[in-house]
Amino acid sequence: MDVQSNGKRSVLCLRYLNSRICKCIAILLVLLIARAIVFPFSSFDRIEENGLVVIGNRSPFCLDKFLEVPQIVWGLNNQKIAFARACLTARMLNRTLLMPSLSASLFYKEVERLEPISFDKIFRYEEFNPRCNGFVRLGRYMDVSNRTKPIKIPKGSGRKWTVERDLEQLKKYSKEPFDQSEVVRIEGKNPFLWHDHWPVKDYAKVLECLVLVDEIEKEADKVISRIREVGSEVRSKLDSSATGAKARMSLQPVPYVAVHMRIEIDWMIHCRKLEQRSKMNQICSSKEEIVNRVGNIIEMKTPMVVYLAVGDSLLNDSSISKGWKDGFVPLEKKKLGIDEIYQKYPYLVQSAIDYEVCLRADVFVGNSFSTFSSLVVLERTQKLTKTGVSNLCGTDVRWRSYAYNILGDSNGARRWIVDMSDLSLEKISYGSNDTSCR
Ligand SMILES: *[C@@H]1O[C@H](CO)[C@@H](O)[C@H](O)[C@H]1NC(C)=O
Ligand SMILES: *[C@@H]1O[C@H](CO)[C@@H](O)[C@H](O)[C@H]1NC(C)=O
Ligand SMILES: *[C@@H]1O[C@H](CO)[C@@H](O)[C@H](O)[C@H]1NC(C)=O
Ligand SMILES: *[C@@H]1O[C@H](CO)[C@@H](O)[C@H](O)[C@H]1NC(C)=O
């Protein structure tokens, strides 16, 4: 019902009417339409009761008011979080978010080389609004009628700009007279650096509406089928027993583990600093530590192919494939013969493909202080929750995730889920040694 009334609402909303009148007309019409569709024969009382429920549950997007945010920058996962935060900010202001620019490259300081790329080059725009219907909404610049001048909101910064002040500001701009303006434009820094006011489950809801465009999705499919193909060859070589043959006959795809190995020089410098600052020694993991802890995971059934999701700078480093326990077959892009797939694309797309490969892996192992790993685990936890299992940390569940930087049972990596009831995204954006599983 909401889908239908949504479409009608935007037609009915006359742009130049005062927003309050518009709202009232829209509500009345929605009530009437809802009544006609849902309860053609029932009594009037019931209808009103139900009509009100409908109004209460939806966000009033009919007003065609927009929020504009600065270009979204940095790593893929910083960008995803920043995007979700911009959506949630728009939701709070009762506005539609104007489709922001993402950044195709990873230059941190050289702003002129940030290569803006439109959101819909990476994620499907047509898929986003239906999936997030009633929660948040994206709009296009051509939807703006420019009937009033945009209002600019300067984001404060510095020590004095507290979470509370930030929230006050948002509240102020959601009220009169600011709520009358067609476009509100937040100026200043990248949304990743804005204060956070929302629970993890709200972020998860937005992230679920992000679907890769077909071209990128297809590349990820190719990578995954190549991994499974090699896995199947490995199995038939290592395991020629009757059960092995039977397994090969079955149509079950061959499982794989994805390990997000963060050992590049820049990360090592960053994580050592982080360790010093937080007086903790669980942030950096050496290559040897990763290999050992993945090898010691007790639930792991061998032979198993291990996809190494590593940064470009490690692709020529053959040592990442050494030292693995018997039964573990490490694979990287070159060995799989898929590095050309990646070379066709800018950083952001490469990262999006690797993210998908990690998200869909049977087992994922990452670093709990990496935003990339943490977001992968957030989405895997969300998927797992939907299957209805009672113990998300159980040993026999699907889509298990582990953190190699935290010691778990039998000297293996620690089981890891994201606490979906957490009230802020802090642990995910900045990392934590709490993996919510014993
Ligand atoms: C409003 O302005 C934006 C940005 O300048 C432009 O892209 C858009 O086409 C304009 N809309 C209309 C209806 O003129
Ligand atoms: C946004 O819309 C909802 C639903 O109509 C309303 O309850 C809320 O007060 C509005 N928020 C603001 C800040 O105007
Ligand atoms: C996380 O770090 C804190 C502070 O260093 C420490 O007290 C705690 O035991 C650690 N937790 C785990 C699960 O290792
Ligand atoms: C890896 O080595 C190949 C051939 O030696 C070279 O062409 C390529 O640029 C190297 N890649 C990286 C990321 O260093």
Side-chain angles (χ1 to χ4, degrees), residues 23 55-56 58-60 91-94 171 174-175 179:
K23 205 187 224 170
I55 300 297
R58 68 171 177 79
S59 305
R91 172 178 158 83
M92 189 169 170
L93 299 174
N94 277 351
K171 282 187 184 146
S174 65
K175 289 191 206 118
D179 65 342

Side-chain angles (χ1 to χ4, degrees), residues 141-142 144-146:
Y141 278 81
M142 63 187 187
V144 178
S145 69
N146 301 323

Side-chain angles (χ1 to χ4, degrees), residues 74 106-112 114:
W74 300 346
L106 194 51
F107 293 103
Y108 284 84
K109 301 212 173 88
E110 300 155 83
V111 179
E112 68 281 5
L114 273 172

Side-chain angles (χ1 to χ4, degrees), residues 279-280 282 406 414 433:
K279 302 195 172 46
M280 195 187 272
Q282 296 172 297
I406 313 287
R414 174 81 64 109
N433 70 345

